[in-house]
Amino acid sequence: MQSTGLRYFLAVARTGSIAAASAQLNVAASAISRQIANLEAELDCVLFERRPRGMVPSPAGELLAQHAHQVLIRSEQVVTEIRELEGLARGLIRVACSEGFSLDIVPNAIAAFHADHPGIRFEVTVQPPAQVTQTVAAGDADLGITFALTPTAQVEVLYDGQVDMLALAAPDHPLARAPVLRLVDLLHYPVALPTRDTTLRQVFDAACAHEGLTVEPVLTANKLSALLPFVRRSRGLALMSALSVRTPLRLNELVSLPIQSRASLARGIKVQAMRDRRLPRAVRAFLRQLLDALPPPRSP
């Protein structure tokens, strides 16, 4: 079986139609149909079932999809390793991360790495934490960095750390010089929070419940970046990790205030890679750059 046929087959399995695969691959639909027909003739079986919702892999197709995915990952790794013979002159690094890391940590690490290795290209995908892990486990990203509440066996954890939650405020906020805040202090100011499906909100709500408090946010958003203008232009407070806003804090555009609570406000940080995969040299070099920007890992 040729890799081209497997790649076309896998695209149809993922998208659910030949037309969608054609658009994704920028390949004529007739060429994709021909490759799938060749595979079915070679294997003497039907690989797809035509259903109202699209083309769904048959039991044989599901087995082939698993095989095709592994074959293509191995082929890509071989090509990458061959290119590594040129050192760090060329290559592509794919990073999946949750939004908290896409605002500051990841782009700054990429900028620093690019200064030393301008031939390396990057592709960053911002996803919810659980989806980051899935993307890495599937081999669709070289590295994943995300806040995580529970461990998973699907990936190898290259870094395990944690970071506390802070309150962010404008430099002229009445509490800007307070040495520490209590959760009850938040009741007296407008609060901006991410949505309930985020790890930050889950940890925050649990800590408030532990103290019998209910904090009703004035602003709720599914993007952390939407909270920052509100904080800058109001007497509001936003809850966030300092890792997400290192640059605004360094430039004194915002101030951070530690929060004292009975329950922990810390969240786990995981840097992940696909289990049992040998990372290309460029990825290993960028990993070192990324880890330098993170807090020291937790002790075993």
Side-chain angles (χ1 to χ4, degrees):
M1 288 178 283
Q2 296 183 351
S3 61
T4 300
L6 292 177
R7 186 160 59 91
Y8 291 1
F9 162 78
L10 199 57
V12 175
R14 286 174 169 171
T15 62
S17 74
I18 289 176
S22 172
Q24 182 185 84
L25 298 171
N26 196 26
V27 174
S30 58
I32 296 175
S33 295
R34 186 164 56 252
Q35 289 287 350
I36 291 175
N38 291 341
L39 283 173
E40 289 181 328
E42 181 179 350
L43 297 172
D44 193 24
C45 67
V46 175
L47 295 175
F48 288 101
E49 298 173 1
R50 273 69 174 176
R51 297 182 184 175
R53 60 191 176 109
M55 297 175 66
V56 178
S58 65
E62 290 179 357
L63 286 175
L64 182 60
Q66 296 174 18
H67 168 76
H69 186 67
Q70 293 300 320
V71 166
L72 293 177
I73 287 177
R74 292 192 191 100
S75 297
E76 179 183 299
Q77 184 170 338
V78 168
V79 171
T80 300
E81 290 177 358
I82 290 173
R83 288 175 176 170
E84 281 182 356
L85 296 175
E86 302 176 12
L88 293 173
R90 293 191 302 169
L92 171 67
I93 299 175
R94 303 166 301 164
V95 180
C97 65
S98 48
E99 193 202 2
F101 298 99
S102 72
L103 299 177
D104 207 295
I105 288 288
V106 168
N108 281 328
I110 289 173
F113 191 82
H114 173 74
D116 294 328
H117 309 289
I120 301 297
R121 295 175 295 116
F122 285 85
E123 180 182 284
V124 177
T125 304
V126 182
Q127 300 172 315
Q131 196 170 342
V132 169
T133 298
Q134 294 170 6
T135 298
V136 173
D140 294 329
D142 301 305
L143 295 173
I145 176 169
T146 182
F147 292 111
L149 293 175
T150 55
T152 175
Q154 297 173 291
V155 296
E156 180 182 358
V157 175
L158 306 175
Y159 166 91
D160 183 3
Q162 66 178 29
V163 64
D164 287 325
M165 193 181 306
L166 299 170
L168 300 176
D172 60 349
H173 193 281
L175 297 177
R177 291 178 173 80
V180 66
L181 297 186
R182 299 169 300 161
L183 287 176
V184 69
D185 295 330
L186 302 178
L187 298 175
H188 306 297
Y189 294 91
V191 174
L193 291 172
T195 51
R196 294 184 184 276
D197 59 345
T198 60
T199 58
L200 185 147
R201 184 65 181 274
Q202 291 164 16
V203 170
F204 176 76
D205 286 349
C208 288
H210 189 74
E211 298 188 19
L213 300 174
T214 301
V215 176
E216 292 292 344
V218 169
L219 170 63
T220 301
N222 66 343
K223 295 292 183 183
L224 295 177
S225 55
L227 306 180
L228 299 180
F230 174 78
V231 174
R232 290 190 180 103
R233 301 175 63 87
S234 74
R235 288 295 182 262
L237 299 167
L239 281 297
M240 209 171 291
S241 157
L243 294 179
S244 302
V245 286
R246 277 184 174 174
T247 300
L249 290 175
R250 188 178 69 250
L251 297 176
N252 297 317
E253 297 173 354
L254 295 169
V255 296
S256 62
L257 305 166
I259 306 173
Q260 185 179 72
S261 68
R262 297 174 193 166
S264 172
L265 288 173
R267 287 181 293 162
I269 305 170
K270 308 286 187 187
V271 176
Q272 306 166 336
M274 184 181 185
R275 186 169 294 281
D276 299 326
R277 181 190 175 197
R278 181 181 177 276
L279 294 177
R281 182 183 175 193
V283 176
R284 297 196 302 271
F286 176 68
L287 174 63
R288 292 191 292 272
Q289 182 86 48
L290 185 61
L291 296 184
D292 286 343
L294 296 173
R298 285 187 277 203
S299 300

